[in-house]
Amino acid sequence: MIFKPDRTIFVLLSFEGPDQYSQAGGLGVRVKGLSRSLARMGYDTHLYFVGDPELPGEESQEGGNLHLHRWCQWISAQHRGGVYEGEEGKIRDWNASLPASLIDNVITPATVAGNNVVILGEEWHTSWSMGLISNGLYVRGLRDRVVMMWNANNTFGFNRIDWNSLTLSTTLTTVSRYMKFKMWDSGQNPIVIPNGIPRESIADADQAAVGELRAAADADHFCFKVGRFDPDKRWLMAVAAAAYLKRRGNSIKLLMRGGREPHGATWNTPLSRIETAHGSVRCVRSPAAAPGKQPCTPTARSM
């Protein structure tokens, strides 16, 4: 296939996305940057993700080249804590409703118009739907018009993936040689596609903004950690590093955004470790979040 912008449609499938509700870590940032970059290159790009229930179900950006499809909104409306709250129900709804809708509304019209389609699924949540989409395309005689890839950013959720089905329906990719070697442990040999970041992310920082941030932090070290509250995300290691700096006479503030996973609520948690290290925890809310709509963000203060 020749992937020319006027003949190719890109479809990205990811639980995380550009909405504040939909971001829990690096995946949301990745698909936000990737989808925008593809659209700015002239590709008609569709991003399906678990979106904010208060925003439109469908929205166009980047001059009409980027189409956002917010999925599972009826479930998200009952789970205001973020993309991974009510996770199992969202997976079931995603698998039951997304494949047929994608084939009917995006893939079939694209192929009728003589275009090719590239689908990239991200992380374990989309693994089942990739097989369902592939099967549906075979039934309609469209499978040879669609390139399907599934990408791993980390090993989280690998124990739930049906690798035989996934490798039959897609080409496996990953973001680094390290992840390639980790996937060998699961008997898989993916193609490495560098993670990449948008061009604007590598511009020089605004020095005035940097100065304002330093003044607001009022600490020797101002650190950030964003991700699900799961032991695999190395939360305790991050807090231990902050405590190490404090024991050596440094003042430190750690801005954290987690989720509602059990690791964030039991005694042996990042927050309890902060308090054990004689730090304090303050819960803050984004100015963009409506009261009662989003969980507050745990923030370690004055360690």
Side-chain angles (χ1 to χ4, degrees):
M1 292 184 180
I2 299 176
F3 298 128
K4 293 182 177 180
D6 61 339
R7 295 293 304 278
T8 305
I9 310 297
F10 276 91
V11 178
L12 309 180
L13 308 180
S14 168
F15 252 46
E16 293 189 34
D19 297 350
Q20 180 181 321
Y21 176 90
S22 309
Q23 294 194 14
L27 178 58
V29 176
R30 166 185 157 76
V31 296
K32 176 181 178 180
L34 177 58
S35 60
R36 287 182 176 178
S37 296
L38 288 169
R40 291 170 184 175
M41 292 170 63
Y43 289 100
D44 195 32
T45 304
H46 296 258
L47 173 57
Y48 288 78
F49 65 103
V50 177
D52 188 326
E54 301 299 326
L55 295 177
E58 295 190 354
E59 180 181 352
S60 293
Q61 298 180 356
E62 302 297 335
N65 283 347
L66 176 58
H67 310 275
L68 303 181
H69 303 265
R70 295 183 172 92
W71 223 253
C72 305
Q73 285 183 296
W74 69 277
I75 299 178
S76 298
Q78 304 171 53
H79 297 280
R80 303 286 183 162
V83 57
Y84 293 120
E85 187 174 276
E87 182 176 38
E88 296 300 326
K90 290 172 179 175
I91 292 173
R92 289 191 293 271
D93 182 63
W94 178 284
N95 292 336
S97 59
L98 187 149
S101 177
L102 172 59
I103 294 172
D104 289 341
N105 298 312
V106 177
I107 298 176
T108 298
T111 56
V112 168
N115 296 320
N116 298 311
V117 180
V118 179
I119 302 177
L120 176 62
E122 296 277 356
E123 296 293 4
W124 67 275
H125 301 89
T126 69
S127 60
W128 297 283
S129 60
M130 296 299 282
L132 293 169
I133 293 166
S134 180
N135 291 341
L137 292 173
Y138 273 119
V139 169
R140 302 192 190 199
L142 300 175
R143 184 62 183 85
D144 62 333
R145 301 297 302 277
V146 180
V147 174
M148 297 188 63
M149 299 179 288
W150 179 85
N151 188 62
N153 292 270
N154 55 64
T155 60
F156 196 84
F158 271 22
N159 61 305
R160 299 188 60 178
I161 294 174
D162 181 347
W163 291 108
N164 290 332
S165 175
L166 188 60
T167 55
L168 182 64
S169 58
T170 71
T171 297
L172 301 188
T173 67
T174 192
V175 296
S176 67
R177 285 180 291 178
Y178 168 79
M179 273 300 299
K180 179 183 179 76
F181 299 148
K182 292 295 292 183
M183 290 178 72
W184 283 359
D185 296 337
S186 299
Q188 312 306 320
N189 189 31
I191 298 172
V192 176
I193 301 177
N195 208 339
I197 56 176
R199 186 177 300 276
E200 59 264 27
S201 297
I202 58 177
D204 292 336
D206 183 326
Q207 291 304 305
V210 170
E212 291 178 2
L213 185 60
R214 284 176 172 167
D218 190 26
D220 297 322
H221 302 280
F222 189 27
C223 304
F224 301 82
K225 173 107 177 124
V226 180
R228 302 180 71 171
F229 274 138
D230 187 275
D232 284 348
K233 298 298 184 180
R234 303 295 188 267
W235 280 98
L236 297 182
M237 185 182 296
V239 172
Y244 177 88
L245 289 171
K246 181 185 178 183
R247 288 196 299 270
R248 275 148 182 77
N250 299 280
S251 61
I252 180 169
K253 289 184 179 178
L254 175 62
L255 180 64
M256 305 163 54
R257 182 181 181 188
R260 296 191 175 184
E261 295 78 23
H263 188 52
T266 57
W267 71 271
N268 190 29
T269 67
L271 303 186
S272 65
R273 289 291 183 91
I274 290 170
E275 293 169 341
T276 300
H278 303 290
S280 60
V281 176
R282 178 183 176 187
C283 210
V284 299
R285 199 181 293 273
S286 166
K293 299 295 185 182
Q294 296 284 349
C296 57
T297 299
T299 308
R301 304 282 294 183
S302 304
M303 288 190 67

